[in-house]
Amino acid sequence: MSTLKAVRGTRDLLPPETALWNRIEATARSVFSRYNFGEIRTPVFEDTALFSRGVGEETDIVSKEMYTWEDRARAQSEKTQTLTLRPENTAGVVRAYIEHGLGESGQLQKLYYIGPQFRRERPQKGRYRQFSQIGAEVIGPTSAGSESPLRDAEVLEMLATLLDELGIAGWTLHLNSVGSAADRARYNQTLREALVPLAPQMCADCQRRAETNPLRVLDCKVPADQPLIDTLPVIADSLDEASKAHFAAVKAALDAAGVPYTLNPRLVRGLDYYTRTTFEFTHGGLGAQNALLGGGRYDGLSEMIGGPKAPGIGFAMGEDRLVLTLLALDQNSAPPQADAYIAPLGESMNAAALALARELRHAGVHVELGDGSFRLKKSFESGNKTARKIVILGEDELESGILTVKDFSSGVQTKVPRAELAGFLQN
Ligand code: ATP
Ligand code: MG
């Protein structure tokens, strides 16, 4: 029989690496709660229309990367639906915001999520078909201040704090403004005209984008196209006064908080819903897939999927890429070890060893439990691989209540009364 393997583009995460994933998630939760964000968990699959309307038909995600299927009705009362594994989580969060009337409180909603996303991309380092994103959204009615440039600056400052607390040194924040929907429409027209003489010399994707969605040309990664793209008009010149003032206020607040950034006029992001502020954080250690996270403002998204006006700003970070960056920075050296390995001397001691392990674990000691069928030499070998100290449990130790503990690194052997054992093992 052929052996079954994880599907292409998916992978298993194993210890000790999962400890790093948990540390990243714990740090993110701790930072989010200090900024007063609450967690939202939306379903992993949604109605396909949410993404075609919310993310945009012309984006790479919707046009070629989604896992979509016909979900057949199981009963008369149901209808067959077209469903999609979520390729991103912002559309789902905004759908939930609308569905639960979260805007009716009149307060800003500050929501974060951590979870798997699915895109049928060409798998490579830092690019998978199932990957995990950590993201957050600030969304609410205009009266709650959801359009304020202070919200943009606070989200960016929070991201700088989070990356610093994770130990990711050397990140770069790329910042741009794509303006209001009207600014974008004007710029798209300007680009469309500028592309007429250039497109025939560009890659096939750009030739198509020049017609359908000229803004996407700025995303092109084909080296030969870059000199041509550099000659195109920049969006900053198409922004109206209000958009310019908004962007200036975001930059002023970042300057005041001491968050460094690089202006990048080509950063338009791969999703259609962005307006005004857009950003990306990159890291040199990642190679070709160098974007740690991306985000921006999406003032019209709620209306695009049938909701009330609810301006917002958010981001999604690639957790897989955070892990790769931290591994490259060597932040995950020694695998975690238990405090103690309990070695029962003979199978008749197994039950007593479980009772001792329970007692120690309740006291907070990290314990690995051996097996009395092992010879002492094998117990020492196993113990040395998994724990810092070994505790021998034989008839004598059980009766006297005095246990022998050996420290693997110093080689020192100590007799410890059972009542003092938990404290001793944790030192
Ligand atoms: P990229 O330019 O790398 O394709 P993107 O613009 O498609 O990124 P977003 O949709 O903005 O990415 O998603 C935010 C973040 O999620 C990215 O910055 C990246 O860290 C991560 N990410 C996106 N797609 C993948 C993937 N297939 N595998 C792993 N991480 C991903
Ligand atoms: Mg992508």
Side-chain angles (χ1 to χ4, degrees), residues 22 68-69 131 148 158 168 218 238 262-263 277 332 393-395 419 421 426:
N22 282 322
T68 296
W69 71 100
F131 59 101
S148 167
M158 175 170 81
I168 296 189
L218 303 183
S238 292
T262 303
L263 294 177
T277 311
N332 194 38
L393 184 66
E395 296 280 359
L421 190 58
Q426 282 172 301

Side-chain angles (χ1 to χ4, degrees), residues 153-226:
E154 189 187 24
V155 163
L156 290 164
E157 186 278 319
M158 175 170 81
L159 281 166
T161 298
L162 175 52
L163 292 177
D164 289 345
E165 289 194 15
L166 285 170
I168 296 189
W171 47 261
T172 305
L173 161 55
H174 300 263
L175 191 63
N176 191 26
S177 172
V178 294
S180 64
D183 296 334
R184 280 175 63 140
R186 200 163 40 240
Y187 182 56
N188 250 325
Q189 193 47 39
T190 308
L191 270 187
R192 200 183 301 274
E193 284 158 21
L195 281 166
V196 171
L198 299 179
Q201 308 159 53
M202 302 179 84
C203 70
D205 279 338
C206 281
Q207 296 190 15
R208 180 176 49 82
R209 294 170 183 140
E211 297 279 324
T212 55
N213 194 348
L215 209 60
R216 290 272 76 79
V217 169
L218 303 183
D219 272 345
C220 174
K221 303 267 159 50
V222 177
D225 288 358
Q226 302 308 310

Side-chain angles (χ1 to χ4, degrees), residues 256-323:
V259 177
Y261 55 87
T262 303
L263 294 177
N264 180 349
R266 275 182 55 180
L267 183 76
V268 292
R269 311 273 308 120
L271 289 70
D272 271 359
Y273 52 58
Y274 287 113
T275 51
R276 299 203 263 201
T277 311
T278 54
F279 56 86
E280 244 172 46
F281 281 71
T282 57
H283 194 276
L286 280 167
Q289 271 59 253
N290 70 349
L292 284 173
L293 68 94
R297 195 164 256 295
Y298 44 82
D299 294 339
L301 177 57
S302 174
E303 287 122 303
M304 281 159 73
I305 56 180
K309 185 171 163 67
I313 178 158
F315 64 85
M317 36 208 289
E319 197 177 357
D320 306 71
R321 294 188 194 173
L322 293 177
V323 169

Side-chain angles (χ1 to χ4, degrees), residues 4 6 10 46 75 105 108 135 191 197 221 240 251 293 295 310 324 335 344 352 357 369 376 383 397 399 404 424:
L4 294 168
T10 73
E46 300 262 6
S105 69
L108 272 187
L191 270 187
K221 303 267 159 50
D240 67 14
K251 290 184 285 185
L293 68 94
L324 284 172
L369 180 56
L376 201 54
E397 287 79 6
E399 262 159 47
T404 304
F424 181 83

